[in-house]
Amino acid sequence: MTKRVFIRTLGCQMNDRDSEALVGIFLDKGYILTEDINQADVILVNTCSVRKHAEDRAISFLGSIRKVIESRSPKNNSLLPIVGLIGCMARSRGEEIFKKMPHVNLICSSAMLYKVPEYAEKILKGYKERIIDLEDSKREEWFYHSHFRFDKNHAYVVISTGCSNYCSYCVVPYVRGELRLRDPQDIIEEVKRNISLGIKKITLLGQNVNDYHYLYGDNYSGVRIFAGEETKNKNIFSFIDLLKELDKIDGIEEIDFITSHPKNTSRDLFYLMANSEKIKKHLHLPFQSGSDRILKLMNRGYTKEKYISLVEDFKMIVKGTLSTDVIVGFPTETEEDFLHTKDILEKVKFKYAYIFKYSLRQNTEAAKLEDDVSKDEKERRHRILLELQKRLSLSI
Ligand code: SAH
Ligand code: SF4
Ligand code: F3S
């Protein structure tokens, strides 16, 4: 009988794309995608660890799956489903959940997602009872090869996985691993595959797209791409080179990308954005805090003044819109620090701002600092910024 796979995705666009690629592999193996969890042979929860709230949601969903299983097995005698906790939480909470939730029989890290269909088959066939794989290594390129797309008009294309920036509050480098780059040729081919499917809009995904610097090295055996005369070092293919190559592809109507880290977002990128008809004139540029002291504690690598000056150049050169991420209540954040954050929101006037309350993440550098801004105070600062941003968004 045809088997059915159900997937619930929590977290960011990276996870949306990972779930899509994974579903594609299941479909290629003959599975059907179902939205009815009661019918599923394989139930997957693709998780996020970035804040406690995201982890709590996944744990409560995994708990609710136990009821689905209990209502199923004795009555209709059907096989028990695979219940998989996959993605970012595998490495932060996987071992604990494996011990505490016996009905979760598959745990797989974000790097090893391409193995999930193989692991599911092993369990379904009875070769193994439970599998946990928390490895962090480079993904196999074929993970991205399925033609399946949730959206027929727009595609996410991963350019890198992981992150090596180690912002002090952030769990991503620990759960997604070190920064790893896809080969430029593989990215370009994936974009072309999307275009041949009729997709016209592409969003490139990387935790910090500016970190994309592909080193060809002397023994590189693939197709070397050189993005034009301006490229100074012929052995390096940068994010700007990648954009220039994609800009040349017929059939693309819109290219955008997330996320850009202010510490290495360059004016060269702005000139390219200004001169391209295809690159969307919008930049997601998270500033996190307006206080130089807090920015230093966050290990962000820029100051309030540098951020404002970058934004002024963006507005002058690209004449586009901006969005951002902000954290309130980072350890030791005072009212004065907070007012600097508020000041950036007022000065820059973002189209959107995603405002978060600091959430302590185990193993991060910031976890060594006392989480000393009270819950009430975090909520007050969060509310003030949300209300301010609501007014500002309306004026743009
Ligand atoms: N790589 C991207 C996105 C990282 S996660 C970037 O660097 O911008 C998305 C957002 O979640 C971050 O920008 C930050 O604002 C927020 N975030 C990350 N860790 C957090 C934490 N421990 N507490 C609260 N918000 C956090
Ligand atoms: Fe986290 Fe910083 Fe990397 Fe973004 S750039 S994923 S905030 S460590
Ligand atoms: Fe994304 Fe959450 Fe992982 S923000 S990278 S799904 S920790």
Side-chain angles (χ1 to χ4, degrees):
M1 233 185 47
T2 312
K3 294 194 204 77
R4 288 162 202 271
V5 58
F6 169 97
I7 194 159
R8 165 66 60 90
T9 307
L10 307 165
C12 66
Q13 294 91 339
M14 290 274 185
N15 268 12
D16 290 333
R17 172 61 186 133
D18 285 350
S19 289
E20 179 181 71
L22 191 52
V23 166
I25 301 174
F26 274 104
L27 298 185
D28 289 348
K29 284 181 175 286
Y31 282 70
I32 292 176
L33 179 63
T34 179
E35 286 180 12
D36 181 359
I37 197 166
N38 293 299
Q39 299 282 322
D41 302 279
V42 179
I43 301 170
L44 300 172
V45 190
N46 195 2
T47 55
C48 173
S49 306
V50 81
R51 284 169 291 276
K52 182 176 178 295
H53 178 66
E55 291 197 337
D56 290 348
R57 276 179 69 201
I59 290 175
S60 113
F61 186 65
L62 284 168
S64 71
I65 296 173
R66 200 199 316 247
K67 292 196 193 82
V68 173
I69 298 173
E70 282 165 359
S71 70
R72 231 199 250 189
S73 49
K75 273 182 251 154
N76 58 17
N77 211 14
S78 60
L79 278 174
L80 290 182
I82 304 292
V83 178
L85 164 90
I86 60 170
C88 295
M89 258 177 87
R91 278 167 65 88
S92 65
R93 306 284 294 274
E95 279 172 349
E96 169 201 335
I97 290 169
F98 205 60
K99 282 192 201 121
K100 284 193 190 150
M101 295 186 155
H103 70 289
V104 177
N105 45 14
L106 172 59
I107 298 203
C108 187
S109 63
S110 142
M112 305 311 284
L113 285 186
Y114 64 95
K115 287 212 163 177
V116 166
E118 179 190 321
Y119 291 152
E121 288 285 302
K122 276 192 182 152
I123 302 173
L124 284 171
K125 286 186 178 148
Y127 300 149
K128 290 242 167 159
E129 269 185 31
R130 300 174 87 204
I131 296 177
I132 176 162
D133 184 348
L134 304 179
E135 212 184 305
D136 172 29
S137 63
K138 193 168 162 69
R139 278 179 180 166
E140 296 282 337
E141 174 54 30
W142 60 259
F143 179 63
Y144 301 104
H145 284 186
S146 148
H147 289 279
F148 174 72
R149 294 285 169 184
F150 287 127
D151 187 334
K152 304 294 170 235
N153 302 309
H154 165 264
Y156 288 120
V157 175
V158 172
I159 67 167
S160 61
T161 58
C163 182
S164 303
N165 284 310
Y166 294 95
C167 300
S168 68
Y169 50 82
C170 181
V171 79
V172 171
Y174 305 93
V175 294
R176 287 244 163 196
E178 291 281 324
L179 174 73
R180 292 194 175 90
L181 310 179
R182 282 180 77 197
D183 185 307
Q185 188 63 21
D186 291 332
I187 299 170
I188 292 165
E189 274 170 17
E190 187 181 338
V191 170
K192 287 184 176 164
R193 263 199 311 277
N194 281 308
I195 302 299
S196 71
L197 294 173
I199 288 167
K200 307 221 180 306
K201 295 183 181 183
I202 302 285
T203 300
L204 304 174
L205 295 179
Q207 294 296 346
N208 172 15
V209 290
N210 307 317
D211 287 339
Y212 188 92
H213 271 88
Y214 195 85
L215 290 170
Y216 281 124
D218 293 340
N219 298 325
Y220 180 77
S221 57
V223 182
R224 284 175 193 247
I225 308 161
F226 300 116
E229 283 152 31
E230 302 101 287
T231 310
K232 291 170 204 102
N233 186 337
K234 296 279 184 208
N235 287 322
I236 297 178
F237 189 83
S238 70
F239 178 60
I240 294 196
D241 294 332
L242 179 64
L243 283 177
K244 283 182 187 165
E245 279 305 301
L246 298 180
D247 198 53
K248 291 181 202 160
I249 297 175
D250 286 339
I252 301 191
E253 283 175 7
E254 191 178 275
I255 307 168
D256 69 350
F257 45 85
I258 37 178
T259 298
S260 303
H261 192 310
K263 75 172 173 186
N264 57 0
T265 295
S266 68
R267 273 70 180 172
D268 286 349
L269 176 68
F270 298 164
Y271 288 116
L272 182 62
M273 290 175 84
N275 292 327
S276 163
E277 285 183 4
K278 295 176 184 170
I279 303 175
K280 195 169 168 185
K281 293 187 178 24
H282 179 85
L283 190 67
H284 185 60
L285 195 66
F287 72 89
Q288 314 296 359
S289 169
S291 152
D292 290 348
R293 189 181 66 83
I294 297 288
L295 284 170
K296 203 160 183 199
L297 285 175
M298 287 178 162
N299 189 31
R300 288 291 287 180
Y302 53 87
T303 58
K304 179 182 180 188
E305 197 188 326
K306 279 202 171 150
Y307 183 84
I308 299 269
S309 139
L310 189 64
V311 159
E312 278 168 2
D313 287 350
F314 172 82
K315 287 183 175 171
M316 194 179 66
I317 301 167
V318 184
K319 300 179 179 65
T321 52
L322 287 148
S323 54
T324 200
D325 293 346
V326 175
I327 299 176
V328 294
F330 184 86
T332 77
E333 187 187 69
T334 60
E335 183 66 13
E336 195 191 335
D337 294 319
F338 167 69
L339 291 176
H340 281 293
T341 300
K342 190 166 166 257
D343 187 46
I344 295 196
L345 281 181
E346 280 164 344
K347 282 208 171 88
V348 175
K349 295 192 176 58
F350 297 94
K351 192 167 177 188
Y352 316 102
Y354 303 91
I355 297 152
F356 306 108
K357 286 173 269 183
Y358 172 72
S359 171
L360 186 148
R361 303 286 75 203
Q362 292 305 333
N363 299 322
T364 60
E365 270 304 299
K368 295 179 186 158
L369 303 170
E370 192 192 339
D371 187 4
D372 59 354
V373 180
S374 72
K375 194 166 171 277
D376 283 352
E377 188 53 27
K378 279 181 191 156
E379 264 160 24
R380 186 186 70 90
R381 293 177 192 176
H382 186 239
R383 206 173 42 243
I384 292 174
L385 297 192
L386 281 181
E387 280 166 15
L388 169 67
Q389 183 55 37
K390 207 167 144 191
R391 267 189 288 120
L392 292 169
S393 288
L394 289 174
S395 69
I396 291 169

